[in-house]
Amino acid sequence: MEIERLDLAAQLVRIQLIQRQLDARFKATGHKNVSMPLLIPESLMLKEADHVEGFAPEVAWVTQCGGEQLAERLVIRPTSETIFCAMYAKWVNSWRDLPMKYNQWCSVIRWEKSTRPFLRTSEFLWQEGHTIHATAEEAQEETLLMLDVYREVSEVELAIPVLVGRKTDKEKFAGARATYSMEAMMQDGKALQTGTTHNFGDNFAKAFDIQYLSKEGRLAYVHETSWGVSTRLIGAIIMTHGDERGLKLPPRIAPIQAVIVPVAAHKGGVTERCEEIQAMLQTLGIRVKLDNRDTVSPGYKFNDWELKGVPVRIEIGPRDLEKGQCVVFRRDTYEKQNLSLDGLGEALPALLEDIQQNMYAAAERFRDERVLVARGMEELEAAAASGFAKAMWCGDAACEERIKAELNVTSRNMPFDQSPVGEHCVCCGKKADRVIYFAKAY
Amino acid sequence: MEIERLDLAAQLVRIQLIQRQLDARFKATGHKNVSMPLLIPESLMLKEADHVEGFAPEVAWVTQCGGEQLAERLVIRPTSETIFCAMYAKWVNSWRDLPMKYNQWCSVIRWEKSTRPFLRTSEFLWQEGHTIHATAEEAQEETLLMLDVYREVSEVELAIPVLVGRKTDKEKFAGARATYSMEAMMQDGKALQTGTTHNFGDNFAKAFDIQYLSKEGRLAYVHETSWGVSTRLIGAIIMTHGDERGLKLPPRIAPIQAVIVPVAAHKGGVTERCEEIQAMLQTLGIRVKLDNRDTVSPGYKFNDWELKGVPVRIEIGPRDLEKGQCVVFRRDTYEKQNLSLDGLGEALPALLEDIQQNMYAAAERFRDERVLVARGMEELEAAAASGFAKAMWCGDAACEERIKAELNVTSRNMPFDQSPVGEHCVCCGKKADRVIYFAKAY
């Protein structure tokens, strides 16, 4: 129960820190936050054929409101392309109105038969970016720019290395011309798709009649993108970094970066000194907590904070104070060291950054060791048993389907670096010119 | 259309700034942000009789999900007491678990027959605080504390004076023992209820069986509160401060605090100098925008930014530069003054603060002049024609109902300062010991 309660609050703090990182970058790249309606009339959902086909099976319908049956059903947004498009059509007149670059932080509903915490839930918190542009080139630039923003946040802030690339037509978003993804490897070797960006071209613009008057005075359709990441990122953190002692949070997004545990707190001066050190570290901008509970032992606290993933523990007892030092434990390597209390304000930020880098390096090493080149179905199966397969693919969806049917392995994405790792399709053996990753996936 | 677009983005920026002010205070008073489910099973809604009676007529029902008819309908949250209670019942065991103090930022749906932008919309963004406590005293303390937080944000940040007090039983929240509100006076003299806090006592605790083991080892029901403010606060800003030129935003929450408009921008050095001044002001933490559009005239820009409520306009032309000065226009009083460019960094923060104080003082003066003591129905009608009536009330709901039926005037709240303004009920003329505000209301 303690964990359940902690999670309820701490998960939000955690996503708030991740949110802050993402939101700052969205704003720096010229996007504005907006809030669009939760409920979308069925007629809007029906306008783009691929989109409705993709989402219709998994939406929640509102049919009764204020005691009355509705004449037209409303869908709880599974994603908001259709409502943005309905508004774009009203807002856009001339090339001067473009680009429009919006983002919203909200929750969406996709009715799932089987759910899994953080990875697949019927309601999930996410952000969805929606933009329209005058040209196809600009829309493509935006699609790749936001993919790179996602990659950067994942790698720099969450310490999760990702493989970025383009999805196959089979795996792309309903209604998109092209979908790009980032894919992380979990500790069981399975892939987790942690973010996607989509280029819709003028698909939706045609369905919703979103036209603008160009500089040259001609009517033209806008080009559209969307992109999203969700609370799935929290799942990725848990499954990338966690170990047998519990969570292991990267310092940059850890709600508590260091916890101070007094040892023999009743002894003269220990609590007071701990409070001083907490205050000193707080003025340095470190998110520090003093655990002064008197109902549990220091040993209990050690386990408790390791379980909760706090990157650094600072133990301070009467003997330490005599020597002017403290014991510092790092969650990532379990190493303990004595540090001088006078130098703690300088040492701790460096230590936190070292932990961040070390966590990234460990995850990258793990991932790199488990990406294997596969030249046929047997090698593909073997690679996917422990990680990702990097392979050549002929481009035929039939091969993707056979791989999925026989091995329960799916295509992840096609990297931007297309240096060949062979000449023949991993499945059918025909001439192939596409490099692609395959894996078992969540 | 331009306005519509601006609003879409700027309203969010605006509520983000208001949100930041509120959220910081919620955290400072020990609350944690959480995220609870959007959809609530009908059986949970039915548990507290008053609550379901109050909300059932205005909720939206989900009846179909993932292509299937649901066995149990789900309601889109109109407010989240029931779902919090369902969780409290699982989380609470002992007095050690109390208090629990949560807040969530989300949208809710209440199906409205007639809507009005910012004041009454079927979906609205809000925050809802939810807390449980061991004792009735603590719950009451929380209820009043959060009312005071709301009052402070309204008065200090939004420059909107409010009357705080307790609602009558007729006007209280569905399921609450006591509801408190803050009430602002709009420029047409009508009241806008801009925030409420509720003390539920153990009403919900009994309905949901939320018990804890006290220090003395006895089972006891928890005492619960909730409190909320919404995008209605934006409506309050518009209707409290706006004038015939458009919006008038208080500097502390204005997304743009000062706009720089170059005059004769093509003349040598003007644009460059404007950019320097913008950069200088930004380093001081002022939210400043340089309007360097070359498609519209300075006069157009003046009107444009006045319409959008920017508190300060800085005009800079070649002549000003020669004299080392600029023209500074303040939106609240329409006054123009010449300020030295060298001193601008010092003068502008003081000017913004002066505008903030002046806007509050003007709103307070307006309000105070229109709160009139009423000693009978005629005086009540007269007072409510231009503002609020302060009156004595016998406490009988029948009088409230008659006042509403005859005058279309409703009770607002009973102030904490109960110094009598008479001896007899404004309606029935019987002995009365309650001081209360009446007004026409949005």
Side-chain angles (χ1 to χ4, degrees), chain B residues 102-396:
Chain B
Y102 297 121
N103 174 61
Q104 78 171 348
W105 293 95
C106 63
S107 79
V108 293
I109 299 247
R110 298 179 187 174
W111 211 251
E112 298 284 354
K113 301 279 179 210
S114 57
T115 61
R116 191 188 277 260
F118 296 117
L119 302 191
R120 200 172 290 280
T121 49
S122 288
E123 179 184 7
F124 57 91
L125 297 166
W126 79 341
Q127 62 68 219
E128 44 179 327
H130 293 271
T131 70
I132 47 173
H133 306 265
T135 66
E137 292 69 32
E138 275 179 56
Q140 179 65 5
E141 207 174 286
E142 168 83 6
T143 310
L144 297 183
L145 173 68
M146 299 322 287
L147 182 68
D148 199 56
V149 164
Y150 287 160
R151 180 201 58 73
E152 186 187 279
V153 169
S154 177
E155 297 191 340
V156 175
E157 310 296 342
L158 314 185
I160 301 175
V162 287
L163 296 171
V164 295
R166 182 173 173 170
K167 292 297 234 187
T168 64
D169 282 352
K170 180 175 176 299
E171 297 287 333
K172 73 184 183 187
F173 183 82
R177 290 268 170 84
T179 288
Y180 298 83
S181 74
M182 60 178 178
E183 308 275 339
M185 186 189 289
M186 303 297 99
Q187 290 180 62
D188 57 3
K190 286 169 79 174
L192 184 68
Q193 174 184 297
T194 51
T196 47
T197 70
H198 315 290
N199 185 344
F200 296 107
D202 55 10
N203 272 1
F204 278 90
K206 284 180 172 161
F208 285 80
D209 197 26
I210 312 167
Q211 297 195 73
Y212 70 98
L213 205 61
S214 73
K215 265 188 195 174
E216 297 75 31
R218 275 191 294 270
L219 271 181
Y221 287 106
V222 300
H223 295 260
E224 188 179 358
T225 86
S226 80
W227 27 276
V229 294
S230 73
T231 35
R232 189 169 251 224
L233 288 176
I234 296 177
I237 293 169
I238 296 170
M239 296 201 299
T240 299
H241 300 303
D243 62 17
E244 67 280 11
R245 296 196 192 179
L247 281 178
K248 196 193 276 184
L249 297 176
R252 292 204 183 179
I253 51 100
I256 300 171
Q257 295 176 307
V259 62
I260 301 172
V261 178
V263 179
H266 56 283
K267 291 269 174 76
V270 171
T271 299
E272 294 71 15
R273 197 76 180 86
C274 286
E275 284 167 356
E276 283 170 28
I277 291 162
Q278 179 189 31
M280 181 272 291
L281 294 174
Q282 277 170 340
T283 61
L284 295 175
I286 296 169
R287 297 186 289 276
V288 59
K289 182 183 174 70
L290 168 59
D291 184 353
N292 50 15
R293 285 179 287 177
D294 56 8
T295 48
V296 294
S297 70
Y300 180 97
K301 294 178 186 176
F302 292 179
N303 289 334
D304 198 30
W305 295 112
E306 286 178 20
L307 181 70
K308 289 167 185 166
V310 175
V312 169
R313 179 174 74 233
I314 301 168
E315 308 165 15
I316 301 177
R319 290 238 186 105
D320 300 308
L321 289 183
E322 274 170 30
K323 294 186 214 157
Q325 65 179 37
C326 60
V327 178
V328 172
F329 167 87
R330 50 188 286 178
R331 177 70 182 83
D332 61 333
T333 60
Y334 308 155
E335 285 164 353
K336 276 191 174 192
Q337 56 182 316
N338 293 316
L339 285 182
S340 127
L341 286 173
D342 288 341
L344 194 59
E346 202 162 321
L348 196 54
L351 177 63
L352 289 168
E353 189 52 27
D354 189 62
I355 294 172
Q356 180 84 26
Q357 298 308 330
N358 184 53
M359 287 178 69
Y360 180 80
E364 192 181 41
R365 206 163 43 238
F366 180 91
R367 193 266 319 263
D368 287 350
E369 284 169 0
R370 285 163 185 79
V371 176
L372 303 176
V373 171
R375 289 189 187 78
M377 290 291 271
E378 273 183 33
E379 286 183 19
L380 180 52
E381 184 172 17
S386 64
F388 295 2
K390 189 173 188 179
M392 299 305 293
W393 172 53
C394 63
D396 192 339

Side-chain angles (χ1 to χ4, degrees), chain A residues 1 61 63-64 73 91, chain B residues 1 61 63-64 73 91 123:
Chain A
M1 192 222 61
W61 292 101
T63 59
Q64 301 160 357
R73 294 192 300 176
W91 293 333
Chain B
M1 191 220 64
W61 292 101
T63 58
Q64 300 159 359
R73 295 192 299 177
W91 293 333
E123 179 184 7

